[in-house]
Amino acid sequence: MTDRLGLARAVALLAPVALLGGALISQYWGGLFPCEMCYWQRWPHMAAIGLALLAILLRRTAGAKPLLALAAIAILISGLIGGFHAGVEYGWWEGLTQCSTTMASGDRSTILARIMAAPIIRCDVAQWELAGISLAGFNFIFSTGTALLILALMAKGRKV
């Protein structure tokens, strides 16, 4: 028999470690520099790692299951941010940050000041794609799927 909660805890730890690790590898060894929304996707993964570690350390206590659920929610939040970011990259909607919004309002000096203050890495342009899916899109797919898997494993009970 397999311990479903043990599997859920392992997934809750390993998935964000792998996704965050992939982001850092692509940044430091792949030359893909993150935009502001890329950083937004990393924070929930970091929180999920901490929550999953606590759920593992406290697995025999009553607080372990809520910590595991919070880890799944953090992973889901990262995925949803990734989905929003992918939509900005695909041009489905405008982003919320200066790295993707239009700055064409105001006089010339104001517009120039905004351009000079804007981040170098644009949030509305995917730096890398595979089969038409950007890194933000992949984060949406993997993080959302992982969060749903963790929650499903938790809902099915402790033992198979």
Side-chain angles (χ1 to χ4, degrees):
M1 284 197 195
T2 307
D3 178 2
R4 288 184 187 257
L5 287 177
L7 179 58
R9 285 189 295 268
V11 170
L13 177 62
L14 296 176
V17 165
L19 290 167
L20 190 56
L24 293 171
I25 288 169
S26 69
Q27 178 181 345
Y28 291 108
W29 286 311
L32 301 177
F33 297 101
C35 69
E36 187 175 355
M37 283 195 273
C38 294
Y39 283 118
W40 293 355
Q41 294 169 71
R42 294 179 183 190
W43 291 108
H45 281 308
M46 290 181 213
I49 291 167
L51 290 164
L53 284 171
L54 284 173
I56 290 168
L57 291 172
L58 302 173
R59 67 184 166 271
R60 299 191 192 284
T61 68
K65 204 166 181 181
L67 288 168
L68 183 56
L70 287 173
I73 291 168
I75 294 167
L76 179 62
I77 289 169
S78 178
L80 295 176
I81 295 169
F84 177 77
H85 187 189
V88 171
E89 292 173 336
Y90 301 141
W92 297 341
W93 46 73
E94 190 172 298
L96 303 173
T97 65
Q98 286 185 339
C99 63
S100 63
T101 59
T102 57
M103 299 183 291
S105 61
D107 60 21
R108 280 189 258 185
S109 62
T110 303
I111 293 170
L112 182 60
R114 288 180 184 161
I115 290 170
M116 297 306 289
I120 295 172
I121 305 301
R122 293 183 50 163
C123 295
D124 59 349
V125 177
Q127 294 185 49
W128 182 89
E129 289 183 355
L130 177 65
I133 302 173
S134 68
L135 287 172
F138 278 113
N139 183 47
F140 170 74
I141 293 166
F142 293 136
S143 294
T144 303
T146 297
L148 295 175
L149 172 63
I150 294 165
L151 294 172
L153 287 168
M154 291 178 68
K156 296 227 183 222
R158 182 145 175 91
K159 300 280 183 187
V160 174

